[in-house]
Amino acid sequence: MNEKDHLRYEILRQLAVAGSRGSAVKATAEAALRSAAELVGLSAAAMYLWDDQMSIKVSATSADSDESRRKLELLEHGLLRNLRSESELVAAYMSFGGDFPYHSFTLPLVHTDKILGAVIGLQHGERTIVSEDLFLEALSAAIAVHVVATTGEKAIPKDVLDKERLGAIVETAVTVNHEINNPLTAILGNVQLLLMKHDDLDPELRAKLEVIEASAGRIKDVTQKLLRLTTARTVDYSMGTSMIDISDEDIDSSEDE
């Protein structure tokens, strides 16, 4: 590992450690941006976190001069923000001409399918940021993970979590049906044959066989309900334990229509 690779690794390592410790996002991002700017040769770099209306709620900036800081802010507020809102800009590497040419980039802070903000950078002189695209993308991803770990952003959106839970329940239900239906069918079939063919059964024995028949039928109904679940709702069971809600309103009734 050469020196630059070691520095890249160290920046990402420090972000991971800071995230695991719950360190403040702004201070951690500023330190990471400052180190990354020195490594990549940026005049300025910034992180912006925004809410659902894309209003900035946290920002962190590292710049080698006030002029670079102002130029970066103008780039964000005068160009990139408009491109994001009007043209759905997500990521870009750009070069600008004129008397003082410069280069810039913007990369999203993404977690699952949600864009939490962006990392942007400004570079004067020789354009080298494109060759650092993998590192810059890893840096943005590491900051996004740190933001989620520290600010309590939902790691998994509720609808995604519900879908995953429902999928796990259905898989379990398929297994249960496969493993239980054969012996259950044998039990139910034999009990029903006994009840049909032997009219002279002792009343007490007949009553017990009818209980077995009803219980087996109930097991069959439960396994079928599990297969037809359309939500992953749970209800309290006891002592803080939950169980899957298989009440009729959660069952897809399309088969009965």
Side-chain angles (χ1 to χ4, degrees):
M1 180 183 293
N2 60 39
E3 185 177 356
K4 286 196 81 171
D5 286 339
H6 176 76
L7 291 173
R8 293 185 187 96
Y9 165 79
E10 183 61 22
I11 292 169
L12 299 176
R13 185 192 71 82
Q14 290 180 6
L15 272 170
V17 170
S20 68
R21 292 175 177 172
S23 302
V25 171
K26 183 178 177 68
T28 301
E30 284 179 350
L33 292 172
R34 183 166 54 252
S35 297
E38 292 175 1
L39 176 66
V40 178
L42 300 177
S43 304
M47 175 208 72
Y48 296 101
L49 297 179
W50 51 64
D51 57 23
D52 293 338
Q53 286 71 47
M54 295 190 70
S55 296
I56 295 173
K57 58 181 183 179
V58 179
S59 65
T61 305
S62 175
D64 61 10
S65 67
D66 290 340
E67 180 184 354
S68 295
R69 184 185 298 271
R70 286 193 296 270
K71 183 175 287 188
L72 188 69
E73 290 175 351
L74 180 62
L75 181 66
E76 169 62 26
H77 299 291
L79 175 63
L80 296 177
R81 181 182 294 185
N82 289 334
L83 287 174
R84 292 190 193 102
S85 61
E86 296 176 7
S87 303
E88 299 184 2
L89 174 70
V90 175
Y93 289 83
M94 299 168 285
S95 292
F96 299 87
D99 295 334
F100 302 98
Y102 63 95
H103 320 285
S104 68
F105 71 89
T106 177
L107 293 168
L109 298 176
V110 180
H111 192 263
T112 61
D113 59 349
K114 183 178 181 181
I115 297 179
L116 308 175
V119 170
I120 69 172
L122 181 70
Q123 183 181 66
H124 292 95
E126 184 183 359
R127 186 184 188 219
T128 61
I129 51 175
V130 172
S131 64
E132 295 285 355
D133 60 339
L134 294 179
F135 167 67
L136 293 172
E137 289 172 13
L139 176 72
S140 301
I143 292 175
V145 171
H146 176 57
V147 169
V148 170
T150 306
T151 65
E153 292 281 353
K154 288 184 179 179
I156 304 177
K158 186 179 183 303
D159 59 337
V160 175
L161 181 60
D162 287 344
K163 184 177 180 181
E164 292 293 328
R165 290 178 61 194
L166 181 60
I169 291 170
V170 170
E171 287 180 0
T172 302
V174 170
T175 303
V176 167
N177 272 267
H178 176 73
E179 298 296 335
I180 288 180
N181 272 351
N182 285 340
L184 183 64
T185 299
I187 292 170
L188 192 57
N190 281 289
V191 169
Q192 289 172 341
L193 281 174
L194 286 171
L195 291 170
M196 290 171 59
K197 290 186 175 181
H198 299 278
D199 295 332
D200 57 346
L201 285 174
D202 178 79
E204 183 178 354
L205 177 58
R206 175 173 291 277
K208 289 180 179 180
L209 288 174
E210 288 174 347
V211 169
I212 294 173
E213 180 186 27
S215 297
R218 184 179 177 189
I219 292 172
K220 186 174 182 179
D221 288 343
V222 168
T223 59
Q224 290 300 308
K225 281 186 175 183
L226 283 171
L227 282 176
R228 300 197 303 273
L229 279 177
T230 58
T231 66
R233 194 171 68 183
T234 60
V235 294
D236 291 335
Y237 179 60
S238 67
M239 301 292 290
T241 302
S242 299
M243 68 177 182
I244 300 167
D245 186 356
I246 57 172
S247 57
D248 291 339
E249 60 265 27
D250 287 331
I251 305 301
D252 184 358
S253 59
S254 59
E255 296 180 3
D256 301 327
E257 294 178 356

